[in-house]
Amino acid sequence: MKIVRNPVVSVIISVIILFTLYYSLSSTSSLSEPKPIAPSTKSNELIKDDKEIVNTPFMPKMANETIKAELGRSSWKLFHTILARYPVTPTENERETLDQFIQLFAKIYPCGDCAQHFNKLLDEFPPQTSSRSIASVWGCDIHNKVNKRLNKPLYDCAHIIEDYDCGCGEDEENAKKEAFEIEKEGKQSGG
Ligand code: FAD
């Protein structure tokens, strides 16, 4: 084997060997020490880069019809109340958060057969998140699509925000109705 005699080349080789040793040691120690999770600045960082989330519902079929109906009523109550309290003018992050919540809700809904249908509905009618009134009416409409499939009466969505009273006091209630009226007028005048 030929020995390198040039001192510059020797220094370069030593530096390379030292760096290689340093990096291999530091990557081994990171295996035993969990890395701290950096706080998210964007809501879509909720889904971590290197992990794929399940893209189809995975809960088992729910055979007990009484439990299925009870679960449905409670879930719809939560669903519509979230939409009725959603910001009048949401930020991009808030929109993304609502969208992710609805998508995950559809994947993990505990009645697997319901989740399968609901997930397909979301593909066809994706969540509308641009404002409180738009999100609430979208939610009412998607519930009506489920009602229709189950041969249940359809709900009148015209007063959906008022119907899901959040219990947050008169002032906020009035502000909420006002915001809804302003938005409705804007739409009627083509704005
Ligand atoms: P629900 O439909 O539970 O409604 C509860 C109350 O909400 C009603 O009494 C009414 O006051 C109000 N309401 C009704 N329609 C609307 C609307 N459009 N907007 C706002 N409020 C409204 N059950 C199945 O058997 N098969 C399924 O595939 C299935 N899929 C489901 C998917 C999801 C995402 C959810 C949350 C539930 C699902 N269910 C399913 C349950 C089903 O929708 C009902 O919740 C259940 O049958 C009980 O019905 P209900 O008549 O008491 O009224």
Side-chain angles (χ1 to χ4, degrees), residues 65 68-77 79-80 105-106 109 111 113-115 117-118 136 139-147 149-150 152-157 160 164:
E65 292 298 327
K68 193 193 268 195
E70 275 172 10
L71 174 71
R73 280 188 284 275
S74 312
S75 303
W76 285 125
K77 177 77 179 170
F79 188 82
H80 294 301
F105 174 82
Y109 190 69
C111 159
D113 37 327
C114 309
H117 291 293
F118 194 61
S136 299
C140 185
D141 192 50
I142 205 99
H143 188 166
N144 269 342
K145 290 190 171 22
V146 175
N147 288 342
R149 200 172 59 77
L150 300 176
K152 288 180 188 282
L154 297 188
Y155 193 86
D156 177 4
C157 296
I160 185 72
Y164 283 83

Short mmCIF file of all heavy atoms in Angstrom, two decimals, residues 65 68-77 79-80 105-106 109 111 113-115 117-118 136 139-147 149-150 152-157 160 164, ligand 1:
data_model
loop_
_atom_site.label_atom_id
_atom_site.label_comp_id
_atom_site.label_asym_id
_atom_site.label_seq_id
_atom_site.Cartn_x
_atom_site.Cartn_y
_atom_site.Cartn_z
N GLU A 65 -77.86 -1.05 17.01
CA GLU A 65 -78.52 0.13 16.40
C GLU A 65 -78.80 1.23 17.43
O GLU A 65 -78.76 2.41 17.10
CB GLU A 65 -79.83 -0.29 15.71
CG GLU A 65 -79.62 -1.17 14.47
CD GLU A 65 -78.83 -0.48 13.35
OE1 GLU A 65 -78.95 0.74 13.17
OE2 GLU A 65 -78.06 -1.19 12.67
N LYS A 68 -75.58 2.96 18.06
CA LYS A 68 -75.23 3.71 16.84
C LYS A 68 -76.02 5.04 16.78
O LYS A 68 -75.46 6.09 16.46
CB LYS A 68 -75.59 2.83 15.62
CG LYS A 68 -75.02 3.34 14.32
CD LYS A 68 -75.65 2.63 13.14
CE LYS A 68 -74.88 1.41 12.72
NZ LYS A 68 -75.29 0.93 11.38
N ALA A 69 -77.31 4.97 17.12
CA ALA A 69 -78.14 6.19 17.06
C ALA A 69 -77.73 7.18 18.14
O ALA A 69 -77.64 8.39 17.90
CB ALA A 69 -79.61 5.81 17.19
N GLU A 70 -77.45 6.68 19.35
CA GLU A 70 -77.02 7.57 20.46
C GLU A 70 -75.71 8.27 20.11
O GLU A 70 -75.56 9.47 20.32
CB GLU A 70 -76.81 6.75 21.74
CG GLU A 70 -78.07 6.52 22.53
CD GLU A 70 -77.85 5.55 23.69
OE1 GLU A 70 -76.69 5.22 24.00
OE2 GLU A 70 -78.86 5.12 24.27
N LEU A 71 -74.80 7.46 19.59
CA LEU A 71 -73.50 8.01 19.19
C LEU A 71 -73.71 9.07 18.11
O LEU A 71 -73.08 10.14 18.15
CB LEU A 71 -72.61 6.87 18.64
CG LEU A 71 -71.27 7.30 18.05
CD1 LEU A 71 -70.32 7.77 19.13
CD2 LEU A 71 -70.64 6.16 17.26
N GLY A 72 -74.59 8.78 17.17
CA GLY A 72 -74.87 9.72 16.08
C GLY A 72 -75.38 11.05 16.61
O GLY A 72 -74.86 12.12 16.25
N ARG A 73 -76.36 11.00 17.51
CA ARG A 73 -76.95 12.24 18.04
C ARG A 73 -75.89 13.08 18.76
O ARG A 73 -75.79 14.28 18.57
CB ARG A 73 -78.12 11.92 18.99
CG ARG A 73 -79.40 11.60 18.24
CD ARG A 73 -80.58 11.47 19.19
NE ARG A 73 -80.58 10.21 19.92
CZ ARG A 73 -81.09 9.07 19.45
NH1 ARG A 73 -81.67 9.05 18.27
NH2 ARG A 73 -81.04 7.96 20.16
N SER A 74 -75.09 12.42 19.61
CA SER A 74 -74.04 13.16 20.35
C SER A 74 -73.01 13.74 19.39
O SER A 74 -72.54 14.86 19.56
CB SER A 74 -73.30 12.25 21.33
OG SER A 74 -74.21 11.50 22.07
N SER A 75 -72.65 12.93 18.40
CA SER A 75 -71.60 13.38 17.47
C SER A 75 -72.06 14.55 16.62
O SER A 75 -71.31 15.50 16.41
CB SER A 75 -71.18 12.23 16.55
OG SER A 75 -70.76 11.14 17.30
N TRP A 76 -73.32 14.47 16.15
CA TRP A 76 -73.83 15.59 15.35
C TRP A 76 -73.89 16.85 16.19
O TRP A 76 -73.63 17.95 15.70
CB TRP A 76 -75.22 15.27 14.77
CG TRP A 76 -75.21 14.30 13.61
CD1 TRP A 76 -75.91 13.13 13.53
CD2 TRP A 76 -74.51 14.43 12.35
NE1 TRP A 76 -75.66 12.52 12.31
CE2 TRP A 76 -74.82 13.29 11.58
CE3 TRP A 76 -73.65 15.38 11.83
CZ2 TRP A 76 -74.29 13.10 10.29
CZ3 TRP A 76 -73.12 15.19 10.56
CH2 TRP A 76 -73.45 14.06 9.81
N LYS A 77 -74.25 16.70 17.47
CA LYS A 77 -74.32 17.87 18.36
C LYS A 77 -72.94 18.54 18.44
O LYS A 77 -72.81 19.76 18.30
CB LYS A 77 -74.81 17.41 19.75
CG LYS A 77 -74.87 18.49 20.79
CD LYS A 77 -76.07 19.38 20.63
CE LYS A 77 -76.12 20.44 21.71
NZ LYS A 77 -77.14 21.44 21.43
N PHE A 79 -70.44 18.18 16.34
CA PHE A 79 -70.08 18.62 14.98
C PHE A 79 -70.69 20.00 14.66
O PHE A 79 -69.97 20.93 14.29
CB PHE A 79 -70.62 17.55 14.03
CG PHE A 79 -70.21 17.67 12.60
CD1 PHE A 79 -68.98 17.19 12.17
CD2 PHE A 79 -71.05 18.23 11.66
CE1 PHE A 79 -68.60 17.26 10.84
CE2 PHE A 79 -70.69 18.31 10.32
CZ PHE A 79 -69.46 17.83 9.92
N HIS A 80 -72.00 20.12 14.85
CA HIS A 80 -72.66 21.39 14.50
C HIS A 80 -72.28 22.51 15.47
O HIS A 80 -72.22 23.68 15.07
CB HIS A 80 -74.19 21.22 14.48
CG HIS A 80 -74.65 20.29 13.39
ND1 HIS A 80 -74.40 20.51 12.05
CD2 HIS A 80 -75.34 19.12 13.44
CE1 HIS A 80 -74.92 19.53 11.33
NE2 HIS A 80 -75.49 18.66 12.15
N PHE A 105 -62.00 13.11 11.80
CA PHE A 105 -63.28 12.68 12.39
C PHE A 105 -63.88 11.58 11.51
O PHE A 105 -64.35 10.55 11.99
CB PHE A 105 -64.19 13.90 12.46
CG PHE A 105 -65.61 13.66 12.91
CD1 PHE A 105 -65.92 13.57 14.26
CD2 PHE A 105 -66.65 13.58 11.99
CE1 PHE A 105 -67.23 13.37 14.68
CE2 PHE A 105 -67.96 13.39 12.39
CZ PHE A 105 -68.25 13.28 13.74
N ALA A 106 -63.83 11.78 10.20
CA ALA A 106 -64.41 10.81 9.26
C ALA A 106 -63.61 9.50 9.24
O ALA A 106 -64.15 8.45 8.92
CB ALA A 106 -64.47 11.40 7.86
N TYR A 109 -64.28 7.84 13.14
CA TYR A 109 -65.63 7.76 13.71
C TYR A 109 -65.87 6.31 14.16
O TYR A 109 -65.64 5.37 13.40
CB TYR A 109 -66.66 8.22 12.66
CG TYR A 109 -68.03 8.39 13.24
CD1 TYR A 109 -68.29 9.42 14.14
CD2 TYR A 109 -69.07 7.50 12.94
CE1 TYR A 109 -69.55 9.57 14.70
CE2 TYR A 109 -70.32 7.64 13.50
CZ TYR A 109 -70.56 8.68 14.38
OH TYR A 109 -71.80 8.82 14.95
N CYS A 111 -68.26 4.25 14.53
CA CYS A 111 -69.12 3.32 13.77
C CYS A 111 -68.47 3.18 12.39
O CYS A 111 -68.57 4.08 11.55
CB CYS A 111 -70.53 3.90 13.70
SG CYS A 111 -71.55 3.25 12.37
N ASP A 113 -69.00 1.38 9.69
CA ASP A 113 -69.81 1.42 8.46
C ASP A 113 -70.28 2.85 8.17
O ASP A 113 -70.31 3.28 7.02
CB ASP A 113 -70.99 0.42 8.53
CG ASP A 113 -71.62 0.31 9.91
OD1 ASP A 113 -70.89 0.44 10.92
OD2 ASP A 113 -72.85 0.11 10.00
N CYS A 114 -70.62 3.60 9.25
CA CYS A 114 -71.01 5.02 9.06
C CYS A 114 -69.82 5.80 8.49
O CYS A 114 -69.98 6.61 7.56
CB CYS A 114 -71.40 5.67 10.38
SG CYS A 114 -72.60 4.76 11.35
N ALA A 115 -68.65 5.54 9.06
CA ALA A 115 -67.44 6.26 8.66
C ALA A 115 -67.12 6.04 7.18
O ALA A 115 -66.73 6.96 6.47
CB ALA A 115 -66.27 5.84 9.53
N HIS A 117 -69.21 5.49 4.73
CA HIS A 117 -70.11 6.32 3.92
C HIS A 117 -69.75 7.80 4.04
O HIS A 117 -69.71 8.52 3.05
CB HIS A 117 -71.57 6.14 4.37
CG HIS A 117 -72.11 4.79 4.06
ND1 HIS A 117 -72.32 4.36 2.78
CD2 HIS A 117 -72.50 3.77 4.86
CE1 HIS A 117 -72.80 3.13 2.80
NE2 HIS A 117 -72.92 2.74 4.05
N PHE A 118 -69.48 8.22 5.27
CA PHE A 118 -69.21 9.64 5.50
C PHE A 118 -67.93 10.07 4.79
O PHE A 118 -67.86 11.16 4.21
CB PHE A 118 -69.13 9.91 7.01
CG PHE A 118 -69.20 11.38 7.35
CD1 PHE A 118 -70.31 12.14 7.02
CD2 PHE A 118 -68.15 12.02 8.00
CE1 PHE A 118 -70.39 13.49 7.32
CE2 PHE A 118 -68.21 13.37 8.30
CZ PHE A 118 -69.33 14.11 7.97
N SER A 136 -71.02 26.28 8.66
CA SER A 136 -72.22 25.76 9.33
C SER A 136 -73.24 25.23 8.33
O SER A 136 -73.84 24.17 8.54
CB SER A 136 -72.88 26.86 10.17
OG SER A 136 -71.98 27.28 11.15
N GLY A 139 -72.04 22.01 6.97
CA GLY A 139 -72.25 20.93 7.96
C GLY A 139 -73.69 20.46 7.97
O GLY A 139 -73.98 19.27 8.05
N CYS A 140 -74.60 21.43 7.88
CA CYS A 140 -76.03 21.09 7.86
C CYS A 140 -76.36 20.28 6.60
O CYS A 140 -77.08 19.28 6.66
CB CYS A 140 -76.83 22.40 7.91
SG CYS A 140 -78.58 22.13 8.05
N ASP A 141 -75.78 20.71 5.53
CA ASP A 141 -76.04 20.06 4.25
C ASP A 141 -75.51 18.62 4.23
O ASP A 141 -76.18 17.70 3.75
CB ASP A 141 -75.38 20.91 3.15
CG ASP A 141 -75.83 20.49 1.79
OD1 ASP A 141 -77.05 20.37 1.60
OD2 ASP A 141 -74.96 20.24 0.93
N ILE A 142 -74.32 18.42 4.78
CA ILE A 142 -73.73 17.07 4.77
C ILE A 142 -74.53 16.16 5.70
O ILE A 142 -74.73 14.98 5.41
CB ILE A 142 -72.21 17.12 5.11
CG1 ILE A 142 -71.48 15.92 4.51
CG2 ILE A 142 -71.91 17.19 6.57
CD1 ILE A 142 -70.77 16.20 3.25
N HIS A 143 -75.02 16.71 6.81
CA HIS A 143 -75.88 15.93 7.71
C HIS A 143 -77.17 15.56 6.95
O HIS A 143 -77.65 14.43 7.05
CB HIS A 143 -76.17 16.76 8.97
CG HIS A 143 -76.90 16.02 10.06
ND1 HIS A 143 -76.98 16.52 11.34
CD2 HIS A 143 -77.60 14.85 10.08
CE1 HIS A 143 -77.69 15.68 12.10
NE2 HIS A 143 -78.08 14.66 11.34
N ASN A 144 -77.68 16.50 6.17
CA ASN A 144 -78.90 16.20 5.39
C ASN A 144 -78.65 15.08 4.38
O ASN A 144 -79.55 14.29 4.09
CB ASN A 144 -79.39 17.45 4.66
CG ASN A 144 -80.40 18.22 5.51
OD1 ASN A 144 -80.96 17.67 6.47
ND2 ASN A 144 -80.62 19.49 5.19
N LYS A 145 -77.43 15.02 3.86
CA LYS A 145 -77.12 13.94 2.90
C LYS A 145 -77.16 12.59 3.62
O LYS A 145 -77.61 11.59 3.05
CB LYS A 145 -75.77 14.19 2.24
CG LYS A 145 -75.83 15.39 1.28
CD LYS A 145 -74.61 15.53 0.45
CE LYS A 145 -74.70 16.56 -0.65
NZ LYS A 145 -75.66 17.65 -0.56
N VAL A 146 -76.69 12.59 4.87
CA VAL A 146 -76.78 11.35 5.67
C VAL A 146 -78.26 11.06 5.98
O VAL A 146 -78.72 9.92 5.84
CB VAL A 146 -75.94 11.47 6.98
CG1 VAL A 146 -76.11 10.24 7.86
CG2 VAL A 146 -74.46 11.67 6.65
N ASN A 147 -79.00 12.11 6.36
CA ASN A 147 -80.44 11.94 6.63
C ASN A 147 -81.15 11.32 5.44
O ASN A 147 -81.97 10.39 5.58
CB ASN A 147 -81.10 13.29 6.93
CG ASN A 147 -80.71 13.85 8.29
OD1 ASN A 147 -80.22 13.12 9.15
ND2 ASN A 147 -80.90 15.15 8.49
N ARG A 149 -79.97 9.48 3.00
CA ARG A 149 -79.60 8.07 2.81
C ARG A 149 -80.30 7.17 3.82
O ARG A 149 -80.63 6.02 3.54
CB ARG A 149 -78.08 7.91 2.93
CG ARG A 149 -77.55 6.64 2.29
CD ARG A 149 -76.04 6.63 2.25
NE ARG A 149 -75.47 6.72 3.57
CZ ARG A 149 -75.39 5.71 4.43
NH1 ARG A 149 -75.83 4.53 4.11
NH2 ARG A 149 -74.85 5.89 5.62
N LEU A 150 -80.55 7.73 5.03
CA LEU A 150 -81.20 6.92 6.08
C LEU A 150 -82.71 7.13 6.10
O LEU A 150 -83.40 6.70 7.03
CB LEU A 150 -80.62 7.30 7.46
CG LEU A 150 -79.11 7.09 7.65
CD1 LEU A 150 -78.65 7.58 9.01
CD2 LEU A 150 -78.72 5.63 7.46
N LYS A 152 -84.45 9.82 6.57
CA LYS A 152 -84.90 10.69 7.67
C LYS A 152 -85.32 12.03 7.08
O LYS A 152 -84.86 12.39 6.00
CB LYS A 152 -83.76 10.92 8.67
CG LYS A 152 -83.43 9.70 9.51
CD LYS A 152 -82.29 10.01 10.46
CE LYS A 152 -81.82 8.76 11.18
NZ LYS A 152 -82.71 8.37 12.27
N PRO A 153 -86.18 12.77 7.82
CA PRO A 153 -86.59 14.08 7.29
C PRO A 153 -85.39 15.03 7.15
O PRO A 153 -84.44 14.95 7.94
CB PRO A 153 -87.58 14.60 8.33
CG PRO A 153 -87.50 13.69 9.49
CD PRO A 153 -86.80 12.43 9.10
N LEU A 154 -85.46 15.89 6.14
CA LEU A 154 -84.37 16.86 5.94
C LEU A 154 -84.58 18.06 6.86
O LEU A 154 -85.69 18.42 7.21
CB LEU A 154 -84.31 17.31 4.48
CG LEU A 154 -84.01 16.21 3.46
CD1 LEU A 154 -83.80 16.80 2.08
CD2 LEU A 154 -82.81 15.36 3.86
N TYR A 155 -83.48 18.66 7.24
CA TYR A 155 -83.47 19.77 8.20
C TYR A 155 -83.43 21.09 7.41
O TYR A 155 -82.78 21.18 6.37
CB TYR A 155 -82.20 19.62 9.04
CG TYR A 155 -82.12 20.47 10.27
CD1 TYR A 155 -82.68 20.04 11.47
CD2 TYR A 155 -81.43 21.67 10.26
CE1 TYR A 155 -82.56 20.81 12.63
CE2 TYR A 155 -81.31 22.44 11.41
CZ TYR A 155 -81.88 21.99 12.59
OH TYR A 155 -81.75 22.75 13.73
N ASP A 156 -84.11 22.12 7.95
CA ASP A 156 -84.08 23.43 7.30
C ASP A 156 -82.80 24.16 7.77
O ASP A 156 -82.68 24.53 8.95
CB ASP A 156 -85.33 24.22 7.70
CG ASP A 156 -85.32 25.62 7.12
OD1 ASP A 156 -84.38 25.95 6.36
OD2 ASP A 156 -86.24 26.40 7.45
N CYS A 157 -81.87 24.35 6.86
CA CYS A 157 -80.55 24.89 7.23
C CYS A 157 -80.53 26.42 7.34
O CYS A 157 -79.48 27.00 7.65
CB CYS A 157 -79.49 24.44 6.23
SG CYS A 157 -79.27 22.65 6.23
N ILE A 160 -79.38 27.59 10.92
CA ILE A 160 -78.49 26.61 11.55
C ILE A 160 -77.65 27.20 12.68
O ILE A 160 -77.50 26.58 13.74
CB ILE A 160 -77.61 25.90 10.47
CG1 ILE A 160 -76.76 24.79 11.10
CG2 ILE A 160 -76.74 26.83 9.67
CD1 ILE A 160 -77.53 23.59 11.52
N TYR A 164 -77.94 26.11 16.88
CA TYR A 164 -76.90 25.49 17.72
C TYR A 164 -76.34 26.54 18.66
O TYR A 164 -75.23 27.03 18.52
CB TYR A 164 -75.83 24.80 16.85
CG TYR A 164 -76.39 23.50 16.35
CD1 TYR A 164 -77.21 23.46 15.23
CD2 TYR A 164 -76.18 22.32 17.05
CE1 TYR A 164 -77.80 22.28 14.80
CE2 TYR A 164 -76.76 21.13 16.64
CZ TYR A 164 -77.57 21.12 15.51
OH TYR A 164 -78.16 19.95 15.12
P1 FAD B 1 -79.80 12.80 14.13
O1 FAD B 1 -79.61 12.66 12.66
O2 FAD B 1 -78.83 12.18 15.03
O3 FAD B 1 -79.85 14.34 14.47
C1 FAD B 1 -79.85 14.78 15.82
C2 FAD B 1 -80.61 16.09 15.84
O4 FAD B 1 -79.91 17.02 15.03
C3 FAD B 1 -82.00 16.02 15.26
O5 FAD B 1 -82.94 15.66 16.24
C4 FAD B 1 -82.23 17.40 14.73
O6 FAD B 1 -82.64 18.26 15.78
C5 FAD B 1 -80.84 17.82 14.32
N1 FAD B 1 -80.60 17.67 12.89
C6 FAD B 1 -81.09 16.78 12.00
N2 FAD B 1 -80.61 17.01 10.78
C7 FAD B 1 -79.77 18.07 10.88
C8 FAD B 1 -78.99 18.80 9.96
N3 FAD B 1 -78.97 18.49 8.68
N4 FAD B 1 -78.26 19.82 10.41
C9 FAD B 1 -78.28 20.18 11.70
N5 FAD B 1 -79.02 19.53 12.64
C10 FAD B 1 -79.75 18.50 12.23
N6 FAD B 1 -76.40 5.91 11.19
C11 FAD B 1 -76.63 4.82 10.39
O7 FAD B 1 -77.50 4.02 10.69
N7 FAD B 1 -75.89 4.64 9.27
C12 FAD B 1 -74.90 5.49 8.87
O8 FAD B 1 -74.23 5.28 7.86
C13 FAD B 1 -74.62 6.63 9.70
N8 FAD B 1 -73.64 7.50 9.38
C14 FAD B 1 -73.34 8.52 10.24
C15 FAD B 1 -72.27 9.37 9.96
C16 FAD B 1 -71.92 10.36 10.85
C17 FAD B 1 -70.71 11.24 10.56
C18 FAD B 1 -72.67 10.55 12.03
C19 FAD B 1 -72.27 11.63 13.00
C20 FAD B 1 -73.74 9.74 12.31
C21 FAD B 1 -74.10 8.72 11.43
N9 FAD B 1 -75.19 7.88 11.68
C22 FAD B 1 -75.43 6.80 10.87
C23 FAD B 1 -76.11 8.16 12.78
C24 FAD B 1 -77.33 8.93 12.24
O9 FAD B 1 -76.95 10.01 11.43
C25 FAD B 1 -78.21 9.49 13.37
O10 FAD B 1 -77.40 10.24 14.26
C26 FAD B 1 -78.94 8.44 14.18
O11 FAD B 1 -79.67 7.60 13.32
C27 FAD B 1 -79.94 9.11 15.16
O12 FAD B 1 -80.85 9.86 14.36
P2 FAD B 1 -81.87 10.93 14.86
O13 FAD B 1 -83.10 10.77 14.06
O14 FAD B 1 -82.03 10.87 16.36
O15 FAD B 1 -81.27 12.38 14.49
#
